[in-house]
Amino acid sequence: MQIAPASASEPLTPYARARLRFEIAIVLALSFGASGVYAIVQLIEAATREAALNTQQMHINRPLSDRPGFDLTMQLLSFVFGLAPVALVVWLTWREHRPHMGALGVARGTPRERLREVGGGFALAAAIGVPGLAFYVTMLVIGLNLQVVPTSLNAYWWTVPVLILQALKAALTEELVVVAYLFYRLKQLGVAPWVVIVSCAILRGSYHLYQGFGGFIGNVIMGLVFGWAYHRWGRIVPLIVAHWLLDIVSFVGYPLAVAWWPQFFG
């Protein structure tokens, strides 16, 4: 049974609208809606400790076993099963005709257009990266953020490839679910573009609240920029590329920074 029209501009029946709202609720409950709730609880727990927020640490990529072989296995399983929300939204929005993932902003294009998409991702990463780092340091200094440790994985031959995969997982899941999928479904429900951009940005900030208030504000700003870019370009690849680059720099660059400048991480 088709619960939504192939085009976001076609009108929905009341029954289809109700089913679409339930679909969105289920997708969020299985992905970033649930993450947002957990992040709020984590922030409350951290804020009610005796220690100040900026003296507490939050580790993002942690060892899953103290035995290297099992750690690698579970890290890879985390990557594979972590892409389940992506598979779900692709399934829900798949089109019979090409481009099959057009509803998610993945369109057919020439090599030149593909290059422009990747270049747009690099530009977005540059626009977000440096100001984002400065904002994080500011929030940490004034005590509104935890010390975010991008990785505490031990150094093995597979550490960097695993971190790159985890960065890819974050980029694919966040941009395809929080931006592409929600933009498409909310547009079908008749929600104004600016409301969609703001709502998705707030959702992005909510599931980063475990980092502190600075993590929330910074990711809301990032969400507004990414949302505007997606609304303007209609392509999701630049957002995925930008997010992937930012997380690679964060995940892989952190242990290198600790090794090169240990005095700043004492």
Side-chain angles (χ1 to χ4, degrees):
M1 177 183 296
Q2 187 178 8
I3 67 170
S7 171
S9 61
E10 295 180 20
L12 290 169
T13 66
Y15 175 73
R17 294 176 67 87
R19 284 185 61 95
L20 206 54
R21 292 192 186 98
F22 274 110
E23 179 193 292
I24 293 171
I26 292 169
V27 169
L28 292 180
L30 293 174
S31 58
F32 294 103
S35 297
V37 174
Y38 281 116
I40 292 170
V41 175
Q42 286 177 294
L43 177 59
I44 294 173
E45 193 273 341
T48 53
R49 288 179 177 269
E50 292 185 4
L53 281 180
N54 60 357
T55 64
Q56 301 179 47
Q57 290 188 338
M58 172 56 64
H59 296 252
I60 297 178
N61 294 293
R62 307 180 183 185
L64 300 178
S65 173
D66 57 0
R67 301 167 66 183
F70 284 98
D71 192 9
L72 173 59
T73 300
M74 288 190 279
Q75 295 290 346
L76 293 177
L77 289 174
S78 171
F79 171 76
V80 172
F81 290 117
L83 291 177
V86 173
L88 177 59
V89 299
V90 169
W91 171 265
L92 291 170
T93 60
W94 187 266
R95 293 173 173 173
E96 294 182 8
H97 55 83
R98 293 179 180 273
H100 299 299
M101 294 175 60
L104 297 178
V106 180
R108 301 171 67 181
T110 64
R112 183 176 181 180
E113 289 173 330
R114 294 298 185 194
L115 187 61
R116 288 178 59 186
E117 287 184 337
V118 173
F122 274 84
L124 270 179
I128 293 292
V130 175
L133 178 60
F135 182 79
Y136 163 75
V137 172
T138 301
M139 292 295 102
L140 186 64
V141 169
I142 65 178
L144 292 179
N145 225 63
L146 285 78
Q147 299 177 31
V148 179
V149 180
T151 179
S152 56
L153 293 177
N154 295 319
Y156 302 115
W157 66 266
W158 48 262
T159 301
V160 170
V162 162
L163 289 173
I164 292 174
L165 284 177
Q166 295 295 356
L168 178 60
K169 179 181 74 173
L172 288 171
T173 53
E174 291 190 43
E175 305 315 325
L176 284 171
V177 176
V178 177
V179 178
Y181 168 77
L182 285 180
F183 269 59
Y184 178 65
R185 287 310 199 203
L186 293 177
K187 183 178 179 182
Q188 286 184 302
L189 290 173
V191 180
W194 72 268
V195 176
V196 176
I197 293 173
V198 172
S199 300
C200 292
I202 292 174
L203 174 61
R204 187 189 294 266
S206 72
Y207 57 79
H208 286 94
L209 271 167
Y210 67 88
Q211 299 176 5
F213 299 104
F216 171 79
I217 298 170
N219 278 279
V220 168
I221 295 172
M222 175 179 172
L224 292 174
V225 174
F226 274 31
W228 172 85
Y230 184 69
H231 177 65
R232 179 178 176 84
W233 298 335
R235 300 291 184 96
I236 199 62
V237 171
L239 277 64
I240 293 173
V241 170
H243 194 145
W244 193 15
L245 288 172
L246 290 169
D247 279 3
I248 287 175
V249 171
S250 175
F251 294 173
V252 178
Y254 177 81
L256 294 177
V258 171
W260 292 342
W261 303 291
Q263 65 272 20
F264 296 110
F265 300 89

